[in-house]
Amino acid sequence: MNLTNRPLLQLIVLSVCLVVSVYTADYTDNYKHVPGQCILQNSCGSSLPCAQNTSDPITPDEDHIALLKTACPMYVDAENVCCAKDQLEDFIKQLDVVKNIIGGCEACYWDFQAIECAFFCDVNQHQFIQITNATLNETDSKTTVIGVRYFITKDAAKRIYNACKNVRDSISGGIGIVYVCGSADCDQDTFYLKLGDNAYTELKIEFVIADTSTVDYVKPYTDKDIYDCKDTVNGKTCSCMDCEEKICPIIVDEDTTVNWHYTLPIGLALCLVWMIVVLVLTFRHKSKSASNNTEIKSVGAGGLDNKAAELTSPVSIHETPNGQNDYGTSSPTRPNGASPTRPNDVPLSPSLSVASTISPLPNSPTEYENKSLITKREPLYQCWLRLGPRIGEAWSNMVYDYWYLVLLICFILTALCCGGWYNFRITTDPVELWTSEDSVSRMQKIDYDSQFGTTYRTCQLVVKEKSPSTFGVNNKIVNGVFNPDFLKQVYDMMVDIESLNVGNVTYSDLCYKPLGEFNKTHPKEDCATLSVFQWIDNNRSVLDNPADYIKRMELCAEATALPECLASFRGPSATNIVLGGYDAVKLNYMDSTTLPVTFALDGSAAKLENILKWETAMKDYLLEQMGRRPDLKIAFSTDRALEDEIDRASHADIFTIVLSYILMFVYVGVTLGDMDCSVKGCLLNSKALLGVGGVVIVLVSVVSALGVTSYAGLPTTLIVIEVIPFLILAVGVDNVYIMVQGIQRIICEKIEREETLNTSAIRGMLSSMMRDVFPSMILSSLCQMVAFALGSLSFMPSVQNFAYNATIALLMNFILQTTVFLILIRVDLMRQLNGRLDILCCIKAELNKPDRGPVRWFIEEFWAKYLLINKWIPAFILIFFGCFTIANVMLIPDLKLGLEPTMALPSDSYLLDYYHIAYTDYRIGPGMSFVFKSRDGSPLDVYEEKTYGELISNQNSLLKTIGKYGESPSYQYIIGEGGSFIKYFSDSWLDSEPCCWNNGDEFCPSIKDRTDCSACPQTNMTTDTKYKYLQWFISDIPRTDGSGCSKGGAVSYANSAKFSPSNRSVISGRFTSSHGVLSTSHAFITARQQALVIADEVNSNSKIIEVYAYSSFYPYYEQYDTIVRECAVNLAVTIVATFLVALVMLGFQLHAALCVMLSVTMCAADMIGSMVYLNIPLNAISLVNLLLSVGIAVEFSANIVQAYTTSKEVGRTNKARHALRKTGPAIVSGIAMTNFVGVIVLAAAKSQLFVVFYFRMFFTINVLCVAHTIVFLPAFLAFLGD
């Protein structure tokens, strides 16, 4: 029997394995053991030694010593040895097999060499070796040994076993000694027993473990040359994963968790400081008020009248309409009920005190008034502020006079913008959404696909028991998934799936066949289907004998690379792929609770259409099986499943989104006008049609923006379609309410003054309204446009797209509202002043003063009055909001990153069960590769000494760096050392006699007839020869019948290298590995970052090669490398831009611009903090929403600050109250209530994406912006406004 035909069991064939069978029977000394003489020497065929009674030892010569250095380095310095050269040469060939199994641990490998070399090299072998059986060959008179006893001390046997019992083989990652025992139960006794007596070798060895160093006259082999697993041998140490007594070094990973021991005290301290500051300022205001009141009384006694006393009082005395100051005390300067006035109604500078500008005091009121008129100069900012109203008035008159021309221009402009829709397209490609064209991951993906291609698509069936059970067999208790009835049900479903016929196309026609390029017959059995049934040769009848198949599955679970365990496509069915739910630490595979079956489909584009149909058929079949097999929990996924389910969720939520917009339209139409008790009066003052017109203008703005970006070839994203309308509605509706309520206020004033109202007054009414509202409209719109325009500087395409569309839509909205909507207001005024009802225009009614709506009444008569009634309410508000913001800022470091895949799925999706099982039961994650190439772009000679060192052999080589990090507990998302085609070719395939055969320059594959072939010459190989052999290895199909080479690389390494045209070098190559189980976005992000750390370390230590890590999900998660910086930069840029625009538009009043920036900043900070306890992660969607919150906050804050700075009231409180009364109703009833009505509907969406990022986040944005605008900002302006 040719023992080399079973390469993975050649460790057994070497006659020494490290398992012990205790021998107690008496032995017969058939052969004389002479001290100083060799009893085993030379080979007598079939790798069996010859028996020698009186053979003299051999004195090694130089060639002999060279062989000893490789085979038995512990005997290099020996004066004499018993092993001949031919024995050493044969042993060296066998050692390569051992390297594949235990070579990863140098101590174990050394111990194996030591015990084996002692067997046939030690001159004292007669002391611990006894020949028990031998046969005489009559042809050459040689005695062939076929049975021996090997005496070994108890300590030596134990140390050898302990050094090797946890060592994992480099082929499958399983425990190496399992290949010896042939079973997962491989204790010390079984280990020595199976290796000494097995069916694969004629030499039978009985290992006798002795308790003492001497048994009768026998001296057992001792542990003098034995190392423990933790020891360093030849400068090399075993992996901590291979040694239970060795602690793995912890590679410290950056701790990103929040340490509340530090942040909580800091937050409390900041809140305390803020509280003290507010209270000090509050008492300071009180003392100033008391002091100023005393001063004014004194001045009044000196002869000044009330007018002079008023004008000389500092602005810190805040007057109220009822003659009281801000804090409720009576004003000494004028009687109750008088309104504060000044000469010529010139607005008083909020930053200047009249008392400071007029000194000394005049002797008479007339002198004071004359002096004030002469000496007081109007500040520059007031001249600037007057420019806005004048522009608004002139613009209104122009639109009124040339309305037909304005309409024509707007129509042409809109038509031109919408013309870009011919190039409109929506993109859902994650790479196009989340990565820029020059991003590193995107470029690496393009490079990877071009070098190695897209190999296959996967579909997966996962089956569990609904009621977990156990199953007894072979005196063991295993989980119910190994029950024959359960396995047969899963097997039947697998066969049914493989038999699905779609248009005369079956799984066999579409599956991925690793051997397809080399095996043109394409049998069905070559499909890369991964399941436990591959371990039993996909034979259902085997399941009728549980004892047999359980034993086979136990073996294959531990040693998947055994020839009898290889799949039909000549590759291993990895245990962590075909079993799930077992303990990931103890690796008790028979405790598995989940049975996955993976179907691999061809990744070529030519078959895509049929593959998509087949995947749909698979989905339909399994959905049917869910109902027909009630005892099974069936989950599954196809390659197209996630995209299909997201698409289904989007279509299912279309009704919800449309309903949301309809409710907003209805709300605007109903609430835009004023209320009236009578039906006719209500319809007369209604603005339903006008509201619809305003909403249509908003939609036209969005459509125009999409058209403009389509001109530029920018794809539209679902984020734009879902978010932009909300933004433009928020801003646009607010302006609609401000304009309509402004015109309604003018009508009320004219009715109160009993002025005649007719159509001739419309021009003046419109100009007055625009004079009043135009400054705030242009301020808020310009702030938002500049902010969003700067947001386009983001590197994230989805954010850029949003910023472009938002900027253009805001610009179009402002243009159309100040032109078309102004004309619509004119038409509606003509209707109203002519006494015609809204909608029912043919019916007329008498025009009366309309009633204010409940929101307007509440703001003007209650909220504005009692919010600032005394000094303590503003102080309490400032303390509360300040501490709330501080608390939210303290939460920001704990903000999560990512987007869970399940969020995009509908609540009834079948994929939810699949993801749940995958996250809890799977024991392996996505595959990954480390791609290497030359730094200078030239082809790489991987066998050049320095290059080979950087790839394989150096301490900091790519392969060893992967292994180092894979062993660290901190890097749990990196598994194993990695698969290296270079190392496996050199150390395993090339040196194995059955593998490399040729006929001249032609390769003889392992699966072909080799009658005319011979073994490849391996002495003095040139570089060209090595590369020729390497390519043969990659094309070699492994055998699974045990009669040839099972190490061919056609399955595992077919796409691992791209050779240069000359075939003498490698353009690029890859080492493969895999990630651990990735169940959350955080896991995906961390896994990618850990892989990048490995690549960076290799690059920092390499001068020749350049490495990058790649997995299919890397491009999607690259955004999280910079998303925190992107978020901070985008928010900072937009807020600063808002401040600068506000500073200019508010007449360079620094305090007013700072108020806008403070309110916007607090809204953004509070929103980010709220995301933590609302469980909203930071990603591209939430980043866009944060920019949206800035836009809405600007719209809210800018209007109220604009009203404050232009108010003619005296004192901060009066001005704050006036600003709140003027803009509060439009803000609350306009933006806030409109968005609330639309957002609440989204709570009913099926997709968690809508519920979390649109309902939950939009609702919070509205609440925070409203709270800061109508609660915090008035209080702040009243407290520290100037």
Side-chain angles (χ1 to χ4, degrees):
M1 174 182 178
N2 187 354
L3 301 178
T4 58
N5 289 339
R6 302 304 297 269
L8 292 177
L9 294 180
Q10 286 175 357
L11 180 59
I12 299 176
V13 180
L14 293 177
S15 76
V16 174
C17 283
L18 310 175
V19 186
V20 177
S21 172
V22 178
Y23 182 79
T24 57
D26 291 335
Y27 61 88
T28 302
D29 189 2
N30 296 321
Y31 297 91
K32 182 178 180 180
H33 298 161
V34 179
Q37 299 293 309
C38 299
I39 63 172
L40 300 173
Q41 199 174 68
N42 301 319
S43 296
C44 285
S46 300
S47 300
L48 295 175
C50 295
Q52 303 287 344
N53 280 335
T54 58
S55 178
D56 293 329
I58 303 170
T59 301
D61 56 18
E62 291 184 3
D63 293 337
H64 211 141
I65 292 175
L67 292 172
L68 285 172
K69 286 182 179 179
T70 302
C72 301
M74 61 287 301
Y75 289 95
V76 168
D77 297 328
E79 294 182 3
N80 298 304
V81 294
C82 288
C83 47
K85 291 182 181 180
D86 59 339
Q87 288 180 292
L88 290 173
E89 290 173 348
D90 184 60
F91 184 51
I92 289 173
K93 293 179 180 180
Q94 306 296 333
L95 279 177
D96 175 60
V97 182
V98 182
K99 282 183 180 180
N100 288 330
I101 300 175
I102 59 175
C105 177
E106 190 69 20
C108 173
Y109 182 60
W110 174 278
D111 291 348
F112 172 80
Q113 287 179 294
I115 193 174
E116 177 70 8
C117 290
F119 177 76
F120 66 92
C121 276
D122 201 303
V123 293
N124 295 315
Q125 58 184 217
H126 66 281
Q127 295 181 351
F128 51 87
I129 299 294
Q130 289 183 347
I131 300 174
T132 59
N133 197 0
T135 60
L136 178 64
N137 189 337
E138 297 179 357
T139 303
D140 55 10
S141 300
K142 291 184 178 181
T143 304
T144 303
V145 177
I146 58 175
V148 300
R149 292 174 185 157
Y150 196 133
F151 291 87
I152 183 171
T153 63
K154 184 176 181 179
D155 289 342
K158 183 177 180 180
R159 289 181 65 189
I160 292 171
Y161 175 77
N162 287 340
C164 296
K165 67 180 181 180
N166 292 317
V167 176
R168 296 185 175 272
D169 74 89
S170 61
I171 301 172
S172 66
I175 301 298
I177 62 174
V178 171
Y179 291 96
V180 177
C181 296
S183 169
D185 297 328
C186 193
D187 58 14
Q188 180 174 306
D189 291 344
T190 307
F191 176 66
Y192 285 107
L193 175 64
K194 291 293 184 181
L195 191 54
D197 185 5
N198 56 77
Y200 301 107
T201 177
E202 299 175 62
L203 179 64
K204 306 300 180 183
I205 303 175
E206 297 175 356
F207 286 92
V208 181
I209 298 179
D211 291 331
T212 61
S213 59
T214 302
V215 180
D216 294 336
Y217 64 88
V218 175
K219 187 176 182 180
Y221 179 78
T222 64
D223 56 358
K224 61 183 179 68
D225 292 325
I226 303 303
Y227 287 94
D228 293 325
C229 187
K230 63 182 178 180
D231 295 335
T232 300
V233 182
N234 296 327
K236 301 177 182 179
T237 58
C238 298
S239 160
C240 59
M241 302 293 289
D242 294 335
C243 302
E244 64 179 3
E245 70 268 27
K246 191 173 182 181
I247 300 175
C248 287
I250 298 177
I251 302 175
V252 180
D253 195 11
E254 182 179 357
D255 186 9
T256 58
T257 58
V258 179
N259 191 337
W260 292 109
H261 294 292
Y262 298 101
T263 57
L264 185 59
I266 292 173
L268 292 175
L270 291 175
C271 287
L272 181 61
V273 171
W274 174 247
M275 187 183 303
I276 292 172
V277 170
V278 172
L279 292 176
V280 168
L281 291 177
T282 302
F283 284 108
R284 183 171 176 267
H285 283 175
K286 180 180 179 182
S287 62
K288 277 192 173 185
S289 297
S291 174
N292 291 333
N293 287 344
T294 304
E295 179 183 349
I296 290 171
K297 289 180 180 179
S298 174
V299 172
L304 286 177
D305 63 3
N306 289 343
K307 184 70 174 179
E310 176 194 335
L311 289 171
T312 56
S313 63
V315 178
S316 59
I317 300 180
H318 301 168
E319 304 278 355
T320 59
N322 61 2
Q324 294 183 334
N325 62 27
D326 280 352
Y327 308 125
T329 58
S330 299
S331 171
T333 60
R334 64 178 183 270
N336 290 344
S339 59
T341 58
R342 286 182 286 110
N344 297 332
D345 254 357
V346 176
L348 180 64
S349 169
S351 60
L352 298 175
S353 170
V354 177
S356 66
T357 61
I358 307 175
S359 180
L361 292 174
N363 293 324
S364 67
T366 305
E367 182 181 351
Y368 175 86
E369 292 182 9
N370 292 337
K371 184 171 182 178
S372 68
L373 292 174
I374 295 172
T375 60
K376 179 171 173 54
R377 299 180 60 187
E378 186 175 55
L380 175 62
Y381 79 89
Q382 291 191 355
C383 296
W384 180 263
L385 290 179
R386 284 188 177 182
L387 183 60
R390 290 173 180 173
I391 293 175
E393 182 178 7
W395 182 263
S396 174
N397 292 334
M398 185 271 294
V399 172
Y400 186 91
D401 294 336
Y402 303 99
W403 62 270
Y404 50 89
L405 184 60
V406 171
L407 283 178
L408 179 62
I409 293 173
C410 290
F411 176 79
I412 294 173
L413 176 62
T414 304
L416 289 174
C417 291
C418 294
W421 275 74
Y422 78 92
N423 198 31
F424 177 80
R425 67 183 180 94
I426 296 177
T427 180
T428 56
D429 182 4
V431 176
E432 197 171 0
L433 285 174
W434 314 131
T435 61
S436 60
E437 292 184 357
D438 58 348
S439 75
V440 175
S441 286
R442 190 167 183 173
M443 295 174 67
Q444 289 174 350
K445 181 183 186 304
I446 295 172
D447 178 72
Y448 185 89
D449 290 344
S450 65
Q451 300 289 339
F452 309 108
T454 303
T455 310
Y456 55 85
R457 300 161 60 96
T458 57
C459 300
Q460 199 163 47
L461 165 66
V462 184
V463 188
K464 298 182 66 172
E465 292 181 299
K466 282 190 176 179
S467 300
S469 62
T470 56
F471 173 59
V473 64
N474 296 341
N475 297 320
K476 294 180 180 180
I477 302 297
V478 297
N479 273 349
V481 296
F482 295 101
N483 186 295
D485 293 335
F486 178 87
L487 289 173
K488 287 177 181 178
Q489 289 192 70
V490 178
Y491 182 89
D492 291 342
M493 285 192 289
M494 181 187 75
V495 172
D496 288 346
I497 291 172
E498 292 179 337
S499 302
L500 289 173
N501 191 310
V502 181
N504 295 324
V505 176
T506 63
Y507 176 68
S508 179
D509 301 315
L510 303 174
C511 69
Y512 168 64
K513 300 176 181 178
L515 306 179
E517 182 181 347
F518 312 108
N519 183 7
K520 303 303 181 182
T521 59
H522 294 281
K524 175 184 175 181
E525 288 73 20
D526 284 351
C527 290
T529 304
L530 297 174
S531 71
V532 293
F533 304 113
Q534 295 280 9
W535 294 344
I536 59 173
D537 301 323
N538 289 316
N539 187 349
R540 191 180 190 276
S541 63
V542 175
L543 299 176
D544 294 329
N545 191 340
D548 290 344
Y549 77 73
I550 289 294
K551 184 177 180 180
R552 180 72 170 270
M553 287 184 176
E554 283 182 311
L555 172 63
C556 292
E558 294 286 355
T560 59
L562 284 172
E564 56 263 46
C565 296
L566 292 180
S568 59
F569 59 89
R570 314 299 203 275
S573 290
T575 307
N576 50 14
I577 295 179
V578 300
L579 290 175
Y582 55 84
D583 190 304
V585 177
K586 297 180 180 179
L587 299 180
N588 297 324
Y589 298 123
M590 303 314 288
D591 291 338
S592 299
T593 60
T594 304
L595 217 61
V597 180
T598 304
F599 304 90
L601 297 167
D602 197 318
S604 62
K607 298 182 180 181
L608 182 60
E609 183 179 353
N610 286 327
I611 285 175
L612 295 178
K613 293 179 180 178
W614 187 89
E615 289 179 355
T616 301
M618 174 183 172
K619 180 191 74 173
D620 295 339
Y621 168 78
L622 289 175
L623 288 175
E624 178 187 354
Q625 293 299 308
M626 287 181 180
R628 296 179 60 182
R629 301 181 187 270
D631 56 328
L632 302 182
K633 184 174 184 179
I634 300 173
F636 66 93
S637 174
T638 63
D639 207 78
R640 62 176 294 174
L642 183 59
E643 184 178 347
D644 287 347
E645 287 298 281
I646 292 175
D647 185 62
R648 184 170 72 88
S650 300
H651 284 86
D653 286 328
I654 287 178
F655 173 76
T656 305
I657 298 172
V658 171
L659 179 61
S660 173
Y661 286 133
I662 290 175
L663 288 177
M664 286 191 286
F665 298 162
V666 171
Y667 171 80
V668 172
V670 171
T671 62
L672 190 58
D674 285 320
M675 304 296 293
D676 197 285
C677 296
S678 64
V679 176
K680 283 190 175 182
C682 184
L683 288 176
L684 180 64
N685 295 310
S686 170
K687 304 291 181 184
L689 291 179
L690 186 60
V692 171
V695 171
V696 170
I697 286 175
V698 169
L699 297 180
V700 170
S701 301
V702 175
V703 173
S704 299
L706 293 175
V708 172
T709 53
S710 296
Y711 272 125
L714 296 176
T716 300
T717 66
L718 293 176
I719 295 178
V720 170
I721 296 175
E722 292 157 356
V723 177
I724 291 292
F726 277 99
L727 171 65
I728 307 305
L729 273 172
V731 176
V733 168
D734 184 47
N735 288 338
V736 166
Y737 272 85
I738 289 176
M739 295 172 73
V740 172
Q741 290 184 3
I743 205 73
Q744 292 291 82
R745 191 177 292 110
I746 292 173
I747 292 176
C748 291
E749 290 174 356
K750 287 184 175 293
I751 292 176
E752 288 177 353
R753 293 195 297 265
E754 298 182 354
E755 296 182 9
T756 302
L757 285 175
N758 51 47
T759 55
S760 62
I762 291 178
R763 188 176 189 273
M765 293 166 65
L766 291 176
S767 62
S768 297
M769 180 269 293
M770 287 296 289
R771 179 184 180 90
D772 187 37
V773 304
F774 184 79
S776 64
M777 287 178 61
I778 194 171
L779 169 63
S780 60
S781 298
L782 193 58
C783 284
Q784 292 170 95
M785 282 188 283
V786 172
F788 286 122
L790 292 175
S792 64
L793 298 176
S794 170
F795 295 106
M796 202 176 299
S798 58
V799 178
Q800 287 180 342
N801 200 302
F802 167 78
Y804 291 141
N805 282 278
T807 304
I808 298 170
L810 286 169
L811 177 61
M812 287 297 299
N813 184 66
F814 179 77
I815 293 173
L816 295 178
Q817 283 187 331
T818 55
T819 53
V820 177
F821 190 69
L822 194 61
I823 296 173
L824 292 178
I825 292 177
R826 172 189 176 179
V827 174
D828 188 74
L829 275 177
M830 294 173 64
R831 173 199 61 79
Q832 187 177 13
L833 296 181
N834 285 326
R836 296 190 177 275
L837 304 186
D838 194 21
I839 303 176
L840 305 174
C841 301
C842 56
I843 303 176
K844 300 188 68 175
E846 184 179 354
L847 179 62
N848 295 314
K849 179 183 176 181
D851 296 330
R852 290 174 294 180
V855 174
R856 185 175 171 187
W857 176 88
F858 176 80
I859 296 294
E860 293 180 352
E861 298 300 329
F862 179 82
W863 191 255
K865 180 179 180 181
Y866 292 103
L867 180 68
L868 308 174
I869 197 169
N870 60 52
K871 65 180 180 181
W872 296 111
I873 293 179
F876 173 78
I877 291 172
L878 263 62
I879 291 173
F880 174 80
F881 275 85
C883 292
F884 182 69
T885 300
I886 291 172
N888 282 312
V889 170
M890 293 296 104
L891 287 172
I892 290 177
D894 206 30
L895 181 62
K896 295 180 180 179
L897 306 180
L899 176 63
E900 306 301 334
T902 54
M903 279 191 174
L905 298 174
S907 56
D908 60 347
S909 173
Y910 62 86
L911 282 179
L912 293 175
D913 285 339
Y914 172 79
Y915 281 122
H916 175 72
I917 295 175
Y919 294 161
T920 56
D921 292 359
Y922 277 19
R923 295 296 176 257
I924 192 171
M928 62 177 298
S929 299
F930 288 92
V931 180
F932 62 86
K933 57 179 62 178
S934 172
R935 284 184 177 271
D936 58 8
S938 60
L940 201 63
D941 182 3
V942 297
Y943 290 105
E944 190 271 329
E945 182 179 358
K946 292 182 179 179
T947 305
Y948 187 83
E950 292 185 0
L951 287 171
I952 304 294
S953 59
N954 290 350
Q955 191 63 32
N956 295 321
S957 67
L958 171 59
L959 193 64
K960 292 187 178 180
T961 303
I962 298 171
K964 178 181 70 175
Y965 280 89
E967 295 163 4
S968 170
S970 296
Y971 280 68
Q972 72 272 28
Y973 295 123
I974 305 295
I975 294 180
E977 183 183 69
S980 165
F981 69 95
I982 300 173
K983 188 175 188 298
Y984 191 73
F985 159 71
S986 301
D987 296 349
S988 181
W989 186 86
L990 187 61
D991 289 340
S992 295
E993 185 177 341
C995 290
C996 188
W997 288 64
N998 66 339
N999 185 0
D1001 289 334
E1002 293 185 3
F1003 174 58
C1004 299
S1006 300
I1007 63 173
K1008 301 292 184 180
D1009 180 24
R1010 291 178 166 179
T1011 304
D1012 298 327
C1013 302
S1014 59
C1016 300
Q1018 298 183 27
T1019 56
N1020 301 320
M1021 288 188 297
T1022 64
T1023 300
D1024 289 352
T1025 302
K1026 288 182 179 180
Y1027 278 104
K1028 179 171 65 176
Y1029 291 172
L1030 178 61
Q1031 293 178 70
W1032 288 355
F1033 156 70
I1034 289 179
S1035 66
D1036 191 20
I1037 299 174
R1039 296 187 71 99
T1040 59
D1041 56 4
S1043 61
C1045 178
S1046 63
K1047 303 178 183 178
V1051 175
S1052 301
Y1053 300 109
N1055 294 314
S1056 292
K1058 185 174 182 180
F1059 294 94
S1060 63
S1062 65
N1063 291 324
R1064 297 180 179 180
S1065 57
V1066 172
I1067 296 176
S1068 63
R1070 61 174 178 170
F1071 291 171
T1072 57
S1073 184
S1074 64
H1075 286 293
V1077 179
L1078 306 180
S1079 58
T1080 62
S1081 288
H1082 173 74
F1084 279 98
I1085 295 168
T1086 305
R1088 177 179 174 275
Q1089 291 172 344
Q1090 290 178 353
L1092 295 182
V1093 169
I1094 296 174
D1096 290 342
E1097 181 171 321
V1098 174
N1099 287 328
S1100 65
N1101 295 321
S1102 302
K1103 296 181 180 180
I1104 300 173
I1105 66 170
E1106 183 178 34
V1107 176
Y1108 69 82
Y1110 177 79
S1111 186
S1112 58
F1113 68 89
Y1114 285 4
Y1116 314 142
Y1117 286 89
E1118 185 187 28
Q1119 58 176 304
Y1120 299 107
D1121 291 346
T1122 59
I1123 196 167
V1124 174
R1125 181 179 61 84
E1126 286 271 324
C1127 181
V1129 170
N1130 274 279
L1131 291 177
V1133 167
T1134 54
I1135 291 172
V1136 170
T1138 296
F1139 165 73
L1140 295 176
V1141 174
L1143 181 65
V1144 175
M1145 299 306 296
L1146 291 173
F1148 300 98
Q1149 297 181 87
L1150 181 62
H1151 65 281
L1154 287 173
C1155 287
V1156 175
M1157 186 175 74
L1158 176 65
S1159 180
V1160 173
T1161 303
M1162 291 180 67
C1163 284
D1166 290 343
M1167 186 62 240
I1168 297 175
S1170 300
M1171 290 170 62
V1172 176
Y1173 49 80
L1174 290 175
N1175 198 25
I1176 303 174
L1178 178 62
N1179 50 51
I1181 299 175
S1182 52
L1183 175 55
V1184 168
N1185 288 345
L1186 286 174
L1187 295 179
L1188 171 71
S1189 71
V1190 171
I1192 296 178
V1194 168
E1195 179 70 21
F1196 282 27
S1197 305
N1199 285 326
I1200 199 168
V1201 173
Q1202 169 75 19
Y1204 177 88
T1205 57
T1206 58
S1207 173
K1208 296 182 180 181
E1209 298 291 333
V1210 176
R1212 290 194 292 265
T1213 301
N1214 287 338
K1215 295 168 71 175
R1217 187 177 286 119
H1218 172 265
L1220 184 57
R1221 284 172 172 159
K1222 181 179 179 181
T1223 62
I1227 290 173
V1228 175
S1229 59
I1231 307 178
M1233 294 305 297
T1234 304
N1235 277 356
F1236 280 136
V1237 169
V1239 166
I1240 288 175
V1241 180
L1242 296 179
K1246 290 186 176 181
S1247 171
Q1248 285 296 305
L1249 198 70
F1250 279 91
V1251 174
V1252 173
F1253 292 103
Y1254 297 120
F1255 165 67
R1256 197 181 298 173
M1257 201 167 182
F1258 280 8
F1259 189 88
T1260 306
I1261 288 171
N1262 275 281
V1263 169
L1264 291 175
C1265 289
V1266 170
H1268 281 82
T1269 303
I1270 68 171
V1271 181
F1272 168 77
L1273 199 51
F1276 184 80
L1277 291 171
F1279 201 83
L1280 296 168
D1282 299 339

